[in-house]
Amino acid sequence: MAGSNCTPVTEFSLTGFTEDLVTQLTLFLMFLLVYLLTILGNLGLIALIRASPLLRSPMYYFLGNLAFVDLCSSTVIMPKMLADFLSEKKGIAYAGCVAQVFIYDLFGMTECFLLATMAYDRYMAICHPLVYPLFMSPKRCLQLVTGSYLIGLTNGVGQTIGMSSLSFCRSNVLNLFFCDISPLISLSTSDTTLSNLILRTSASLFGMSSSLVVLISYVAIISAILSIRSAEGKRKAFSTCTSHLTAVSIFYGAALSMYLKPSSGRSTGGDKWAAVLYTVVIPMLNPLIYSLRNKEVKEALRRLV
């Protein structure tokens, strides 16, 4: 427990990436471009899905929500990060740090379950096409999306409660460019039992369950595709899920590299760049992946243009 003479931290200092001014300016321009592409890509995808009659299937309903989540999760981190590149003092108030933890964990877990929902949608479309309209009705799609947001909200509230139980006295320096619960737990001078319990329970209960849904769905999908006799049939079946499989591979690969390290491996330069991939690059890549690798999206865009 923290001592009675502990002075509560009111602000956290973020180390950023470098102290070199030229490098900071270069990174600012690079990340500004990434953020602009993220905004344009995700807003454009949402508008296209809403405007095009071709994109009225459950898959694109889920994709529109995924684009919204990517837009929100990127916006809660990148504007502050861009401002820090141009600021001599890279800090964030305690209240702002709490807000980042809550919103980031809310939308991060929501994205996990949206990707799992999209994997289940592809499983039903390929493995059970005759009952697909019944099982993936508009009401069921709304329930799945609402459930994803509620689980994300539960995770965000839980991590915020865990952070509220922490005390920070000795140091307020976070070796990262945003507030994440893992380095905050390492920085705390108080008993971290509750915070670690919430973090591990969330990762085990929510993270593992969503990843298992994705894994089991794609095992069944691949098995069904391999049972198709014609090469053309296999190609058509696999083409319907390549975009999602690409997005899932990048997302879970980055998440595993960021969160499944031993505690001694955290807060390093490599971990910081893994966080960049997870929080900055993926929200930009998702709309590009679904636009460039999806014939229906390209056809809908061509018709509107």
Side-chain angles (χ1 to χ4, degrees):
M1 297 294 291
S4 58
N5 61 346
C6 169
T7 302
V9 168
T10 59
E11 185 180 57
F12 291 98
S13 177
L14 305 174
T15 59
F17 295 91
T18 179
E19 295 295 328
D20 182 72
L21 294 178
V22 175
T23 306
Q24 285 195 62
L25 180 59
T26 303
L27 290 174
F28 169 79
L29 294 174
M30 181 180 72
F31 283 120
L32 177 61
L33 177 61
V34 169
Y35 185 48
L36 291 176
L37 289 175
T38 301
I39 294 175
L40 293 174
N42 286 289
L43 282 179
L45 190 57
I46 292 170
L48 181 64
I49 290 171
R50 292 181 65 86
S52 175
L54 292 176
L55 307 180
R56 289 288 185 266
S57 66
M59 181 175 71
Y60 296 108
Y61 175 67
F62 299 137
L63 181 55
N65 281 276
L66 180 67
F68 172 74
V69 166
D70 280 334
L71 188 63
C72 293
S73 61
S74 178
T75 300
V76 77
I77 291 175
M78 291 205 67
K80 179 68 174 69
M81 183 178 70
L82 291 170
D84 284 343
F85 279 122
L86 304 179
S87 175
E88 185 176 343
K89 183 181 179 182
K90 300 174 177 60
I92 182 170
Y94 181 86
C97 193
V98 172
Q100 271 198 344
V101 168
F102 170 71
I103 300 174
Y104 172 69
D105 285 300
L106 187 163
F107 287 112
M109 190 58 71
T110 300
E111 180 156 359
C112 286
F113 275 86
L114 281 176
L115 289 172
T117 299
M118 293 171 75
Y120 174 73
D121 172 73
R122 292 299 84 207
Y123 160 74
M124 291 301 301
I126 293 174
C127 300
H128 303 284
L130 296 180
V131 295
Y132 176 76
L134 176 65
F135 276 82
M136 300 304 293
S137 64
K139 182 179 179 180
R140 177 66 58 84
C141 292
L142 178 61
Q143 291 172 341
L144 290 171
V145 168
T146 302
S148 298
Y149 283 107
L150 289 177
I151 293 173
L153 179 61
T154 302
N155 182 58
V157 171
Q159 302 302 345
T160 305
I161 293 173
M163 182 178 173
S164 67
S165 69
L166 301 175
S167 297
F168 305 93
C169 301
R170 298 193 190 103
S171 175
N172 68 334
V173 179
L174 281 173
N175 187 23
L176 206 60
F177 54 91
F178 71 104
C179 286
D180 189 23
I181 189 63
S182 296
L184 285 168
I185 292 174
S186 301
L187 192 65
S188 174
T189 55
S190 62
D191 184 8
T192 60
T193 303
L194 176 61
S195 300
N196 276 312
L197 178 63
I198 293 174
L199 180 62
R200 291 171 183 174
T201 301
S202 175
S204 302
L205 183 62
F206 296 147
M208 291 301 295
S209 61
S210 63
S211 59
L212 278 176
V213 170
V214 173
L215 180 62
I216 293 171
S217 296
Y218 273 102
V219 168
I221 289 171
I222 292 172
S223 177
I225 291 175
L226 292 178
S227 66
I228 299 175
R229 294 185 178 182
S230 68
E232 180 65 17
K234 289 180 180 180
R235 187 191 65 79
K236 287 184 177 180
F238 193 70
S239 66
T240 64
C241 56
T242 51
S243 298
H244 180 255
L245 186 57
T246 302
V248 163
S249 301
I250 296 174
F251 180 84
Y252 280 102
L256 290 174
S257 67
M258 183 175 175
Y259 288 111
L260 293 189
K261 287 184 176 182
S263 57
S264 59
R266 287 184 182 131
S267 301
T268 63
D271 188 59
K272 191 179 296 186
W273 286 105
V276 169
L277 175 62
Y278 185 73
T279 61
V280 175
V281 178
I282 288 178
M284 177 196 69
L285 285 180
N286 279 342
L288 295 178
I289 291 171
Y290 284 102
S291 299
L292 298 177
R293 298 183 61 88
N294 192 299
K295 291 182 179 179
E296 290 179 338
V297 172
K298 289 189 286 187
E299 177 63 20
L301 181 62
R302 186 190 66 80
R303 291 191 181 188
L304 287 178
V305 172

